[in-house]
Amino acid sequence: MSDAAPSRPWLLFAITPPRRSTEPAEARRIAERTCARLRDLDLDALVIYDIDDESDRNPHERPFPYLPTLDPGDFAEEHLGSWDRPVIVYRSAGKHDPRALADWFAAQDVRRVRTVLVGASSSDSAVRTTLPEAWRLRREHAPDLATGGVAIPERHASRGGEHERMRAKQAAGASFFVTQVVYDVGAAKSMVSDYHYACGDAGSTTVPVVFTLSVCGSERTLAFLEWLGVHVPTWMRNDLRHTDDPLATSYDQCVAIAEDLAQFCTRHRIPFGFNVESVSIRRAEIEASVRLAAHLRDRLGAGDGAQAAAASAASTPGQPRS
Amino acid sequence: MSDAAPSRPWLLFAITPPRRSTEPAEARRIAERTCARLRDLDLDALVIYDIDDESDRNPHERPFPYLPTLDPGDFAEEHLGSWDRPVIVYRSAGKHDPRALADWFAAQDVRRVRTVLVGASSSDSAVRTTLPEAWRLRREHAPDLATGGVAIPERHASRGGEHERMRAKQAAGASFFVTQVVYDVGAAKSMVSDYHYACGDAGSTTVPVVFTLSVCGSERTLAFLEWLGVHVPTWMRNDLRHTDDPLATSYDQCVAIAEDLAQFCTRHRIPFGFNVESVSIRRAEIEASVRLAAHLRDRLGAGDGAQAAAASAASTPGQPRS
């Protein structure tokens, strides 16, 4: 078990870059709207996803169409100049040539940029750079770039061993983890528990695990979450389908998940955080996501005694510890 | 959905009859000790299990040896005269001849006795009376005997359809359900959610679902729970194995499970209750079970506003509604 005092929980908010066809002026307006919307959230960092089609992973029809987006690194560099906090730029390793990835790593300002390295969505994908190769390139070209890995509770529940994959990523340089969207809180707790005890057995540090939360305001968003591989427990799915206001129901479910995870991690002194995203682009769902992040900020900031006490030993927000 | 106001939650405590070899005088002393221990709990009923070997269900070695017990009906009748509240006598259908079962049904005082009918532990068992036959005999010989069915969340999680089996038992006469020991609260919520919405779709009443809780104070008890088919989530198993005081950890887990289930059922207006048992005969675990029941009594009795309001419309405690 880690004896380190947990830091104040991280709060991240994740966005998808605009479509690739977006004109620069419009991309800038989108970036400004986004910054304005998120400015008051006191985020530790803004996450920018590197979206993959992923239809090679799932033979079922994608509930929302896949539209190629601007490169998240380009979007951050060219349009998010007015964002005065860190950004976490996702890098989907398989999409990029090793040379391009190495150049990107070398070019980053480590005071402003962090990254998360993502593996291919299926073993059948045409992979330009494998995940281990991406980790190697990052060690070589940007050893000081704080870099996270992806952790998937569903994979732990179905196949086991996700904690070992997390440990391997940590050995490769991961200084934090961001999960897939969590609806199955038991699966997330089991994954982080196995990870925590494995770190204890190995005498190594438990690095922060950031849990991704996303509200669901419609049957279609629910279908998309499940298409993405998120396990939505039967009772939650039932409640979302039988309520007159799925968005309000989902919001309450997300708050309950966050409280359960916060209690669990605090009790075990596991450093943690939350990453809020909206998997849909519907305005009501985006606004509910921002409200959820604000709620977490208020709750985490004005948290219980244990968290307040722990906060005094906190690392600087947005400074993932390696 | 049921529009009926939920009753005050039921509180049951379950015991196993003494070994078959127990002398009558000793059986009486055991009964008296049990009554004295449970008298202050304000129980709605005392449950007496009808223990089956069950080793036909599970090829792995039984962590605690199987010892035949006194018949729970005989034990209740001959030794529990000083227990002045209802008893719920389990009947393991497959163990009994149809004639003996019919006679037992006919002989019961329905003001004092309720029953729960249990099916064979595996389809390979030598079955004297099938479960549907037992339900038929009960309708014929004791139509006024309040009778419950067993509900197994693990079966719902692995195979699905437990809510349909509950609905079929309800059609056969079940006026309440008692679950297998719950450690996987998500599985229990999913089962009861599907059951609740299925009742709503059919326009029928949701009958009370009584969740069984059992503390676990040692690695051996944990092994026994898992042998019995209880799914213990990985994070709970980890915590039980890494703590210096598994009994205290398990007690806290049981309280958290109970609170989660109480909130869930209250929000959905599903009538519910708790049945506390100790699967082990270790004194510390039995005493912790009694404390757990007392805690639930205090918490349920002095429940939140919703429960207090609902209590005014409650059915008489211990009177399962048909």
Side-chain angles (χ1 to χ4, degrees):
Chain A
M1 267 171 281
S2 166
D3 289 329
S7 64
R8 185 175 72 81
W10 295 11
L11 184 60
L12 314 179
F13 196 97
I15 60 168
T16 299
R19 295 181 195 178
R20 195 175 294 162
S21 58
T22 309
E23 296 294 332
E26 175 61 11
R28 175 165 298 271
R29 273 194 295 275
I30 291 172
E32 280 165 6
R33 267 208 308 276
T34 301
C35 292
R37 187 182 270 140
L38 304 181
R39 188 148 284 135
D40 292 340
L41 288 179
D42 198 22
L43 297 178
D44 292 302
L46 174 65
V47 171
I48 313 169
Y49 286 140
D50 197 7
I51 298 294
D52 228 341
D53 184 355
E54 301 200 29
S55 56
D56 52 350
R57 190 178 67 170
N58 190 328
H60 297 286
E61 197 188 344
R62 203 178 198 279
F64 292 112
Y66 170 68
L67 295 167
T69 66
L70 293 174
D71 180 83
D74 294 346
F75 181 64
E77 195 177 318
E78 293 164 20
H79 301 294
L80 284 171
S82 69
W83 179 255
D84 58 359
R85 293 179 172 243
V87 290
I88 297 178
V89 177
Y90 269 50
R91 300 278 64 170
S92 208
K95 277 173 72 175
H96 305 281
D97 285 324
R99 192 64 257 161
L101 210 50
D103 288 348
W104 185 84
F105 283 138
Q108 298 315 304
D109 174 356
V110 298
R111 290 165 305 179
R112 171 177 156 75
V113 178
R114 293 99 179 78
T115 187
V116 166
L117 297 183
V118 186
S121 58
S122 91
S123 50
D124 296 337
S125 314
V127 168
R128 294 191 189 164
T129 307
T130 66
L131 189 57
E133 202 178 348
W135 280 108
R136 192 184 55 73
L137 290 169
R138 174 251 159 211
R139 280 198 302 279
E140 199 171 307
H141 297 276
D144 297 328
L145 181 66
T147 305
V150 171
I152 302 186
E154 279 78 359
R155 202 154 57 181
H156 195 63
S158 63
R159 292 198 260 154
E162 187 70 0
H163 62 302
E164 294 299 345
R165 285 183 286 274
M166 292 167 74
R167 298 270 309 137
K169 288 175 185 176
Q170 194 174 344
S175 59
F176 64 97
F177 291 98
V178 182
T179 72
Q180 179 170 268
V181 172
V182 174
Y183 270 70
D184 185 343
V185 70
K189 283 155 78 176
S190 286
M191 180 188 78
V192 84
S193 168
D194 277 343
Y195 167 65
H196 164 67
Y197 286 116
C199 289
D201 288 346
S204 71
T205 307
T206 304
V207 303
V209 180
V210 180
F211 301 99
T212 298
L213 302 174
S214 181
V215 296
C216 169
S218 73
E219 189 79 29
R220 200 166 164 212
T221 303
L222 181 60
F224 187 46
L225 283 165
E226 296 192 315
W227 187 90
L228 286 168
V230 177
H231 175 240
V232 180
T234 300
W235 68 267
M236 297 181 88
R237 200 186 320 119
N238 285 346
D239 285 354
L240 290 171
R241 285 189 174 154
H242 284 82
T243 177
D244 294 334
D245 189 348
L247 192 54
T249 298
S250 171
Y251 182 94
D252 291 344
Q253 289 175 348
C254 286
V255 167
I257 289 169
E259 291 186 353
D260 196 344
L261 291 170
Q263 275 178 24
F264 183 78
C265 291
T266 301
R267 191 166 71 242
H268 288 86
R269 305 175 70 78
I270 299 168
F272 70 101
F274 295 106
N275 171 41
V276 180
E277 66 160 304
S278 173
V279 300
S280 107
I281 55 164
R282 286 179 56 224
R283 190 187 179 89
E285 285 171 294
I286 293 171
E287 287 173 354
S289 303
V290 175
R291 272 187 288 120
L292 176 61
H295 173 89
L296 295 174
R297 172 203 60 196
D298 294 344
R299 195 191 121 67
L300 300 179
D304 57 37
Q307 286 186 9
S312 64
S315 60
T316 310
Q319 294 282 354
R321 297 160 301 169
S322 57
Chain B
M1 267 169 281
S2 165
D3 289 328
S7 64
R8 185 174 72 80
W10 296 10
L11 183 61
L12 313 179
F13 196 97
I15 60 168
T16 300
R19 295 182 195 176
R20 195 176 292 164
S21 57
T22 310
E23 295 294 333
E26 175 60 11
R28 176 164 298 268
R29 273 194 295 275
I30 292 172
E32 279 165 8
R33 267 207 307 277
T34 301
C35 292
R37 187 183 270 141
L38 304 180
R39 189 148 284 137
D40 293 339
L41 288 179
D42 198 22
L43 297 178
D44 292 302
L46 175 65
V47 171
I48 313 168
Y49 286 142
D50 197 8
I51 298 293
D52 228 342
D53 183 356
E54 301 200 28
S55 56
D56 51 350
R57 189 178 68 171
N58 190 329
H60 297 287
E61 196 188 344
R62 203 179 198 278
F64 292 112
Y66 170 68
L67 295 167
T69 66
L70 293 174
D71 179 84
D74 294 347
F75 181 63
E77 196 177 316
E78 292 164 21
H79 300 294
L80 284 170
S82 70
W83 180 256
D84 58 0
R85 293 181 170 240
V87 289
I88 298 179
V89 177
Y90 270 50
R91 299 278 63 170
S92 209
K95 276 174 72 175
H96 305 280
D97 285 324
R99 192 65 256 161
L101 210 49
D103 288 348
W104 185 83
F105 283 139
Q108 298 315 303
D109 174 356
V110 299
R111 290 164 306 179
R112 172 177 155 77
V113 178
R114 294 98 179 77
T115 188
V116 166
L117 297 183
V118 186
S121 57
S122 91
S123 51
D124 296 337
S125 314
V127 168
R128 294 193 189 162
T129 307
T130 65
L131 190 56
E133 202 178 348
W135 280 107
R136 192 184 56 73
L137 290 168
R138 176 252 159 212
R139 281 198 301 280
E140 200 171 307
H141 297 276
D144 297 328
L145 181 67
T147 304
V150 170
I152 302 185
E154 279 80 358
R155 203 155 57 182
H156 195 62
S158 63
R159 291 198 260 152
E162 188 70 0
H163 63 301
E164 293 299 346
R165 285 183 286 275
M166 292 167 75
R167 298 271 308 138
K169 288 175 185 176
Q170 195 174 342
S175 58
F176 63 98
F177 292 97
V178 182
T179 72
Q180 181 170 267
V181 172
V182 174
Y183 270 70
D184 183 344
V185 70
K189 283 155 78 176
S190 286
M191 181 189 77
V192 84
S193 168
D194 277 343
Y195 168 66
H196 164 67
Y197 286 116
C199 289
D201 289 346
S204 71
T205 308
T206 304
V207 302
V209 180
V210 180
F211 301 100
T212 299
L213 302 174
S214 182
V215 295
C216 169
S218 73
E219 190 79 30
R220 200 165 165 215
T221 303
L222 181 61
F224 187 47
L225 283 165
E226 296 192 314
W227 187 90
L228 286 168
V230 177
H231 175 238
V232 181
T234 300
W235 68 267
M236 297 180 88
R237 199 185 323 117
N238 284 348
D239 285 354
L240 290 171
R241 286 189 174 154
H242 285 81
T243 177
D244 294 333
D245 189 348
L247 192 55
T249 298
S250 171
Y251 182 94
D252 290 345
Q253 289 174 347
C254 286
V255 167
I257 289 169
E259 290 186 354
D260 196 344
L261 291 170
Q263 274 178 24
F264 184 78
C265 290
T266 301
R267 190 166 74 241
H268 289 85
R269 305 176 69 79
I270 299 167
F272 70 101
F274 295 107
N275 171 41
V276 180
E277 66 161 305
S278 172
V279 301
S280 108
I281 55 164
R282 286 179 55 224
R283 191 187 179 88
E285 285 171 294
I286 294 172
E287 287 173 353
S289 303
V290 175
R291 272 189 286 119
L292 176 61
H295 173 88
L296 296 174
R297 172 203 61 195
D298 295 344
R299 195 191 120 68
L300 300 178
D304 58 33
Q307 285 186 9
S312 63
S315 59
T316 310
Q319 295 282 353
R321 294 161 303 170
S322 57

